[in-house]
Amino acid sequence: MNSEDIETVRIAFKKLQSIILDTIMFRKYLFFDLNTKTKEETIRQMIDQTKAYIHLNENFFEAVMEREIQASTEFDGRIAIPHPMSVADPPEFIAVARLEKPILWKRRPVQLVFLMCSSHTTNPLIYQKLGRIMKTRN
């Protein structure tokens, strides 16, 4: 990551200070320097590490991958936001991983991954905030 990427991440974390996000994003869901080579391996490792703290359905990985098949969750700025389309009784969390080296997600290189799961109530608010963060770097 270059200095501009680091600044983008710093600004993103600063902007994510809200009541909703404070309840679903914890330090234990921050994974730094994951050494993965594929999107699937990255998502699998993030899910496995998150399972150490919260219960995730057995088909959670498949639900996230199903969403990836429908439309890639990669964005400019080396960011991806994988998430399931729908999960029964969803746990609410955001896990964040910084990859040791960028990987090709679908068409773009990705190095910062936000694995998300949220209810229909908080979902629009989270995406609205993340969308604003990605559109404006300040």
Side-chain angles (χ1 to χ4, degrees):
M1 295 179 82
N2 62 32
S3 60
E4 185 178 324
D5 294 329
I6 292 168
E7 182 64 13
T8 300
V9 171
R10 187 191 67 73
I11 291 168
F13 279 113
K14 185 176 179 182
K15 289 182 179 182
L16 289 175
Q17 297 300 315
S18 72
I19 294 171
I20 291 172
L21 293 180
D22 285 345
T23 63
I24 63 176
M25 186 172 151
F26 302 101
R27 182 176 275 295
K28 60 190 172 190
Y29 304 144
L30 301 177
F31 313 121
F32 295 104
D33 298 324
L34 284 186
N35 186 9
T36 57
K37 298 195 181 353
T38 66
K39 165 178 54 178
E40 294 79 8
E41 183 183 4
T42 301
I43 292 169
R44 175 67 74 191
Q45 276 195 32
M46 290 181 75
I47 289 171
D48 289 346
Q49 290 186 37
T50 302
K51 280 183 177 181
Y53 301 102
I54 59 174
H55 172 75
L56 296 177
N57 293 338
E58 289 298 317
N59 67 342
F60 192 80
F61 175 78
E62 289 78 13
V64 173
M65 295 312 298
E66 180 182 324
R67 169 64 178 89
E68 287 291 329
I69 290 168
Q70 291 183 12
S72 181
T73 58
E74 65 191 0
F75 295 91
D76 290 333
R78 293 196 251 173
I79 295 172
I81 308 176
H83 56 281
M85 284 296 287
S86 64
V87 176
D89 193 27
E92 295 203 337
F93 73 91
I94 300 174
V96 182
R98 182 185 68 210
L99 307 182
E100 192 173 283
K101 296 178 183 174
I103 61 170
L104 184 63
W105 202 258
K106 185 170 183 176
R107 291 179 298 249
R108 298 177 175 112
V110 166
Q111 192 163 21
L112 185 63
V113 182
F114 293 83
L115 174 64
M116 295 180 32
C117 187
S118 61
S119 68
H120 293 294
T121 305
T122 59
N123 200 8
L125 298 171
I126 293 169
Y127 285 106
Q128 183 180 36
K129 281 192 171 286
L130 285 173
R132 270 190 255 134
I133 289 166
M134 289 186 288
K135 285 180 185 173
T136 61
R137 296 190 121 161
N138 299 321

